[in-house]
Amino acid sequence: MNPALRDLVCGMPKAELHIHIEGSLEPELIFALAQRNGVALDYPDVESLRRAYAFTDLQSFLDIYYAGASVLLQRQDFYDMTWAYLERAHADRVRHVEMFFDPQTHTARGVPFAEVITGIKQALADAADRWGISGGLIMCFLRHLSEEDAMATLEQALPHRDSILGVGLDSSERGHPPEKFARVFTRCRELGLRLVAHAGEEGPPAYIESALDVLHVERIDHGVRCLEDAALVRRLAQSRIALTVCPLSNVKLRVFDKVGDHNLRQLLETGIVATVNSDDPAYFGGYINANFLAVFEVLGLGREHAHTLARNSFEAAFLPEPRKQQLLAEVDAWFA
Ligand code: HPA
Ligand code: ZN
């Protein structure tokens, strides 16, 4: 790739809006935490764990992802994981991050909700002090579990309400449509939480529609299957409901066979507010700039696409207006 374009893309200010913090846990840290906490792993070493990262679909990934997260027990573990991600994000010129976390993955193992959230929050606070990175937490409900379980998790989160920006919906999509979580999302909306959901990754465009109509989400995570429905595409473009697209994830989980088949370019051409993100960077082969570079190289994207994608990332962020305008001005200055 043209080195000037490469530097432009890598150095542009950007927001990351689709990162599961548990998906940033690198194999080396998994083994270090397993040792620190006396947790037994099914893999003898880092190399054999990494070799298992050959996924055939979303579920085959989730099985390994939940096994990896089993080493997280103490507040310090959540801090170390989050700090490692933030160092990488800072190196990729991430100026704002909205980070998913999966409390049920931890509370189901007996880890107190407070240990999880206070560790993550402290790392975000330290990154804000050190680098001026702003951030927020989006608590995801696991859609393969029941709505009652999600509601109980929301109850546990209430003492930490002020530390939570919004809620989302992740895990196994097929067979678990958004409407399964209608009541818990209504409650979250009443609490003033921002709302997002994974939809249209493996699931059909109808799941994107029900996320909008039933859950009233303000962004769609993935959403790449929207192109199968022309009316939905027009709706997303007109309403400026953003998609948080994760190219390397989509290839690793076989949503597309190869980067060259990815539809990011078409999504941008329809006028949809698409953004580029890493999803689970430790598992999918790269952090946010690796995602940008993969699509820029293979899809033949250029300077204007870069400018649009950087602007989209801040436009789609749940930021107070002054900070949003400040970051958009940083983007425009970079491209001036
Ligand atoms: N999809 C659904 N659930 C997830 C993902 C994803 O890409 N990453 C972590 N949990
Ligand atoms: Zn995701």
Side-chain angles (χ1 to χ4, degrees):
M1 180 170 159
N2 161 358
L5 182 59
R6 186 189 175 92
D7 291 350
L8 186 82
V9 167
C10 289
M12 70 189 184
K14 53 184 73 75
E16 178 143 62
L17 306 177
H18 188 156
I19 159 78
H20 301 263
I21 196 58
E22 295 90 346
S24 74
L25 201 48
E26 294 284 350
E28 290 77 9
L29 190 52
I30 289 178
F31 274 85
L33 295 179
Q35 189 163 35
R36 184 156 101 189
N37 290 328
V39 175
L41 292 169
D42 285 341
Y43 300 89
D45 52 38
V46 165
E47 289 68 37
S48 55
L49 177 58
R50 229 184 252 287
R51 271 198 300 279
Y53 293 1
F55 311 117
T56 50
D57 59 7
L58 176 57
Q59 192 60 49
S60 66
F61 154 70
L62 291 169
D63 294 342
I64 286 193
Y65 163 81
Y66 295 130
S70 71
V71 302
L72 297 160
L73 292 180
Q74 319 280 343
R75 176 184 317 197
Q76 186 67 39
D77 306 336
F78 291 92
Y79 180 93
D80 293 347
M81 168 177 70
T82 308
W83 184 253
Y85 163 74
L86 288 164
E87 283 186 314
R88 285 294 291 102
H90 173 62
D92 283 0
R93 201 97 197 282
V94 170
R95 304 281 294 118
H96 175 74
V97 55
E98 292 175 11
M99 189 180 278
F100 297 134
F101 72 116
D102 286 342
Q104 287 156 297
T105 300
H106 314 299
T107 54
R109 294 179 292 112
V111 179
F113 190 99
E115 291 285 302
V116 179
I117 195 164
T118 54
I120 298 172
K121 279 291 288 185
Q122 188 59 51
L124 275 170
D126 289 352
D129 284 348
R130 185 126 161 207
W131 298 305
I133 294 179
S134 51
L137 284 179
I138 298 181
M139 174 171 83
C140 283
F141 300 119
L142 299 180
R143 66 203 303 158
H144 68 276
L145 300 178
S146 68
E147 188 178 43
E148 288 66 39
D149 206 309
M151 202 65 97
T153 302
L154 178 60
E155 281 301 319
Q156 288 179 283
L158 287 180
H160 307 277
R161 164 67 189 88
D162 294 344
S163 299
I164 299 174
L165 176 63
V167 297
L169 197 57
D170 67 0
S171 191
S172 323
E173 186 181 9
R174 285 199 193 109
H176 301 285
E179 50 270 33
K180 178 176 165 186
F181 295 91
R183 286 172 306 155
V184 71
F185 268 67
T186 297
R187 180 85 188 97
C188 291
R189 198 147 65 108
E190 289 164 358
L191 288 164
L193 291 158
R194 308 304 296 257
L195 308 178
V196 301
H198 284 53
E201 177 187 16
E202 282 190 342
Y207 283 19
I208 300 175
E209 274 185 320
S210 60
L212 296 171
D213 293 333
V214 181
L215 304 187
H216 303 284
V217 301
E218 304 166 84
R219 284 196 308 247
I220 297 286
D221 298 311
H222 294 295
V224 291
R225 288 192 59 193
C226 72
L227 285 188
E228 295 168 29
D229 181 335
L232 177 59
V233 167
R234 281 193 296 277
R235 176 182 184 181
L236 290 167
Q238 277 165 13
S239 62
R240 299 195 72 72
I241 298 274
L243 303 187
T244 62
V245 176
C246 307
L248 292 176
S249 165
N250 291 156
V251 173
K252 282 283 184 179
L253 301 187
R254 312 300 302 273
V255 174
F256 298 99
D257 285 337
K258 53 187 194 297
V259 178
D261 296 337
H262 201 282
N263 64 11
L264 177 68
R265 192 184 179 109
Q266 288 101 290
L267 290 171
L268 289 169
E269 281 165 3
T270 67
I272 285 177
V273 183
T275 64
V276 169
N277 308 269
S278 69
D279 206 6
D280 300 282
Y283 292 91
F284 298 150
Y287 288 77
I288 191 167
N289 279 356
N291 278 269
F292 271 107
L293 291 176
V295 286
F296 269 69
E297 177 127 80
V298 176
L299 302 179
L301 304 180
R303 183 186 178 88
E304 282 311 309
H305 296 107
H307 194 172
T308 299
L309 286 163
R311 286 193 60 93
N312 285 355
S313 74
F314 295 115
E315 204 187 301
F318 299 141
L319 274 168
E321 206 52 34
R323 171 81 177 154
K324 182 177 289 206
Q325 293 308 324
Q326 176 205 332
L327 290 165
L328 285 167
E330 277 186 28
V331 171
D332 290 345
W334 180 254
F335 283 92

